[in-house]
Amino acid sequence: MKSSVSERSGGASYLRDGVRNWLQDLRRTPFARRPLPPGPPRRDRLNGHLSEIRELGYVRAMRLWTDTYGSLVMTYLGPPVLGRRLLVITDPAIAEQVLTQEERRKFLLPQGAPMVFGDKAVFCTDGDAPIHAERACLYARHLTPPLLRRHSALMREIWDEAIERIATIAVGASSARRFGINAEVLRVAQRVAIRCWLGVDVCEREAHEALERYYDPGSLLSQSFFDSLYFVGAAQRVEKLRTTYRPILERALDRIVALGDRWEDEAPELGFLRRSLVHFGWDLARLGAADGGDRRALLDDLEIYRHIFSAMLPAVGSTGGTMLFLLHYLGCDPGLQDELAAELAGADLLDRPRPTPLLGRCIKETLRLHPEAIGVSRYLDQARELGGFHVPAGTFLFVHLHGLHRDPSSYPDPERFDPARFVDPTAAHGGRWAGFSLGRMSCTGRSFAELHISHFCRSLLARRRARVAAGEPLLDNDYQGSVTLQPRPFEVEFEWSRMSRETGV
Ligand code: HEM
């Protein structure tokens, strides 16, 4: 029997950590006397540069700084004691050096009351913390080639059916116009994620509720920066995580118990949960016991929900966001859709569960322009020389992917969507492209995400063509309300593809 993880109320520890870090900084590095990279003057010492971020959004504020001050910018978030010193990096060589060599990793905020960030974070973890390596191992074991083939079959089934609903075209009509299909696409992405990682199917309402949870960490992040009472909201959001996933977890447990040793042949997608339960110290036999004691304890245990959510968040947010941005670009380019449809029609994604060459380039180009992660952070616990500057210990290094990917010396005419840039694979080398990050801390779920996007495109283009009104701008949410970049709702028109019209399929 395992005791549940209790939540700490941590306003005090937040303050304590802030003061401790500040004192350590002062002791270790007399940084005031050494050169620092240039940065924008602080308008408000109490908030650091948060007010600019509040006004402009994360991406745009940081772009403004890097455009003005260069590819290394020192900035400050929050007041001196609690705040964070942040080195914003858009120089490819330094980005590569930092991402591939830097061992440690932390999110921007210290571990606080709701334990949604930091060492025990729902998603981002400290690279030195054991949970990081353990999680990576659990993910990797669920993404082996045979399991990817299994995921591929599930994705195909779900998307084939879902696309029919999303792009519904009444008999006789040649096209259907849809505005803001974002939530629908994300809901299907959510359904696929739950099916592949927890082995159960969910209804519309459950998929919808789980999708609501995806928005919580984003709102929490904004609250923690801008709202001094964020602890209250945090506790409620964490509790909702448990309530939402509880019935889903219950059904998954029922399946695990009912299938017994047959799970590996009949439902290998249950493997992630089975292995995770063993990893967290639960006795599978006792979870099926008639008295139900262990089962109740598990269903109350917040740690397991956090763990599950660490797969759900990127499998829905980052993956679904990429699908939506890509859909917009496809909708602007009928020729590209035909080319991609032909390539995907000839591919066997069940046997070779990975993106086809042109699609691989489209995914790279979409993530170049719209990196789902605003940037990748690393925590410096020792002072370093970077780009000729002395960067003190205690600084967060922040590789700003948006700026990095739109550097005209890496990618001429950087605002234009052009998958052909990556025909030469070296175009992504030298730290110029880091859509899934680089090095040992890079994304563990890349193969899953790319396969998922492949199925979305295959199912869509097998029968439909998307059209986005000419000149409709592609706007994004700039990280307001979500932790991944999402496009603002846009209008798409779905038509029968020529092939479908001719063959009547
Ligand atoms: C298009 C979709 C995705 C994109 C663009 C993406 C991108 C990223 C990026 C940039 C990082 C940061 C790595 C670093 O700190 O160096 C990351 C980390 C990670 N990703 Fe993904 N990701 C995607 C999908 C997924 C999926 C589907 C999963 C799992 C199901 C996943 C699991 C993870 C994990 C576990 C980490 C490490 C988190 C940590 O411990 O800090 N990702 N991803």
Side-chain angles (χ1 to χ4, degrees):
M1 161 90 187
K2 191 166 178 301
S3 64
S4 65
V5 176
S6 62
E7 266 175 63
R8 287 189 313 166
S9 93
S13 74
Y14 181 76
L15 194 68
R16 201 177 48 238
D17 287 352
V19 173
R20 201 190 51 216
N21 289 343
W22 181 61
L23 288 174
Q24 271 176 3
D25 278 0
L26 284 182
R27 266 200 300 276
R28 278 199 211 139
T29 330
F31 58 85
R33 282 182 273 120
R34 303 200 190 184
L36 282 175
R42 267 187 281 181
R43 274 196 276 166
D44 168 3
R45 274 195 74 79
L46 205 63
N47 267 323
H49 292 291
L50 285 177
S51 38
E52 284 100 308
I53 291 184
R54 191 204 297 256
E55 271 165 41
L56 297 173
Y58 293 84
V59 166
R60 278 177 272 281
M62 289 191 181
R63 279 303 297 278
L64 186 71
W65 299 333
T66 53
D67 288 351
T68 313
Y69 298 98
S71 54
L72 285 182
V73 174
M74 189 61 89
T75 182
Y76 298 83
L77 301 181
V81 174
L82 291 178
R84 289 284 168 263
R85 195 170 42 240
L86 192 69
L87 181 68
V88 184
I89 300 167
T90 50
D91 177 296
I94 297 176
E96 187 176 40
Q97 181 191 346
V98 162
L99 293 179
T100 55
Q101 293 175 12
E102 201 52 52
E103 293 291 294
R104 285 175 66 95
R105 153 90 189 282
K106 277 197 184 166
F107 204 50
L108 289 180
L109 297 175
Q111 175 177 335
M115 295 204 296
V116 248
F117 302 116
D119 204 25
K120 299 246 184 223
V122 167
F123 181 63
C124 291
T125 57
D126 176 348
D128 283 344
I131 185 71
H132 190 272
E134 289 157 12
R135 256 188 200 163
C137 180
L138 287 165
Y139 283 115
R141 291 191 66 186
H142 204 53
L143 297 174
T144 59
L147 274 164
L148 277 170
R149 283 195 278 276
R150 172 75 175 184
H151 298 317
S152 192
L154 297 172
M155 288 169 183
R156 180 179 177 148
E157 186 189 313
I158 295 176
W159 275 111
D160 272 353
E161 182 246 344
I163 284 291
E164 286 313 298
R165 269 185 299 120
I166 290 176
T168 299
I169 297 175
V171 182
S174 64
S175 72
R177 217 175 257 278
R178 302 293 310 274
F179 178 72
I181 58 164
N182 303 37
E184 281 177 74
V185 168
L186 293 180
R187 255 200 312 275
V188 184
Q190 178 74 79
R191 217 185 120 196
V192 169
I194 293 176
R195 186 79 181 84
C196 292
W197 293 84
L198 296 179
V200 291
D201 217 345
V202 289
C203 64
E204 277 287 301
R205 184 187 48 76
E206 287 172 319
H208 178 80
E209 252 184 53
L211 183 59
E212 291 292 299
R213 301 290 72 77
Y214 152 69
Y215 292 104
D216 288 348
S219 316
L220 199 55
L221 187 63
S222 318
Q223 276 175 7
S224 62
F225 276 141
F226 302 127
D227 175 0
S228 48
L229 288 178
Y230 90 97
F231 296 113
V232 178
Q236 286 164 355
R237 290 175 201 284
V238 172
E239 184 49 44
K240 275 195 200 151
L241 185 66
R242 174 162 40 202
T243 329
T244 299
Y245 278 97
R246 189 184 182 110
I248 299 170
L249 181 59
E250 275 197 283
R251 293 211 293 284
L253 287 177
D254 288 344
R255 267 197 102 193
I256 288 178
V257 171
L259 282 172
D261 291 342
R262 289 176 290 124
W263 72 274
E264 203 144 14
D265 294 326
E266 292 185 30
E269 67 276 15
L270 285 169
F272 174 69
L273 184 57
R274 279 186 65 105
R275 279 188 287 269
S276 300
L277 290 173
V278 173
H279 173 80
F280 285 112
W282 296 92
D283 178 341
L284 290 182
R286 288 192 50 81
L287 287 174
D291 67 20
D294 276 23
R295 190 185 160 98
R296 275 195 302 280
L298 171 70
L299 292 170
D300 284 340
D301 184 21
L302 201 50
E303 192 178 3
I304 194 72
Y305 296 99
R306 283 200 187 100
H307 176 66
I308 290 170
F309 194 60
S310 68
M312 291 303 137
L313 190 151
V316 179
S318 307
T319 316
T322 311
M323 287 171 190
L324 287 164
F325 282 116
L326 177 55
L327 175 65
H328 193 284
Y329 287 114
L330 292 179
C332 298
D333 189 342
L336 179 60
Q337 289 185 68
D338 286 344
E339 225 183 308
L340 210 48
E343 185 187 73
L344 286 165
D348 183 352
L349 290 178
L350 301 186
D351 193 41
R352 284 173 57 84
R354 67 188 75 121
T356 47
L358 175 58
L359 181 58
R361 294 198 286 277
C362 289
I363 295 175
K364 260 198 183 132
E365 181 65 346
T366 305
L367 284 173
R368 183 184 72 77
L369 285 163
H370 311 282
E372 282 296 320
I374 178 179
V376 179
S377 62
R378 297 285 185 268
Y379 179 71
L380 260 194
D381 64 352
Q382 285 183 2
R384 276 241 226 168
E385 295 294 315
L386 285 174
F389 291 104
H390 176 87
V391 183
T395 303
F396 281 91
L397 307 178
F398 192 78
V399 177
H400 183 36
L401 296 182
H402 199 271
L404 179 79
H405 288 173
R406 291 183 191 224
D407 179 344
S409 57
S410 300
Y411 301 106
D413 195 3
E415 309 294 324
R416 192 165 57 87
F417 180 82
D418 179 11
R421 296 177 198 276
F422 294 106
V423 170
D424 172 6
T426 63
H429 295 177
R432 282 177 286 175
W433 187 88
F436 289 99
S437 188
L438 303 168
R440 82 174 180 104
M441 304 288 296
S442 64
C443 178
T444 336
R446 180 173 181 169
S447 57
F448 185 83
E450 289 186 318
L451 179 64
H452 197 175
I453 298 166
S454 305
H455 273 287
F456 164 70
C457 291
R458 193 210 65 85
S459 297
L460 174 72
L461 297 174
R463 293 204 224 160
R464 310 281 188 233
R465 290 295 176 271
R467 192 180 356 187
V468 170
E472 179 163 358
L474 180 47
L475 300 174
D476 58 59
N477 64 5
D478 203 355
Y479 302 100
Q480 279 142 15
S482 72
V483 267
T484 58
L485 197 65
Q486 297 287 323
R488 296 264 179 87
F490 54 91
E491 187 173 283
V492 201
E493 194 173 337
F494 293 103
E495 303 169 330
W496 294 106
S497 73
R498 205 181 50 231
M499 209 193 331
S500 287
R501 275 201 309 270
E502 282 162 9
T503 58
V505 178

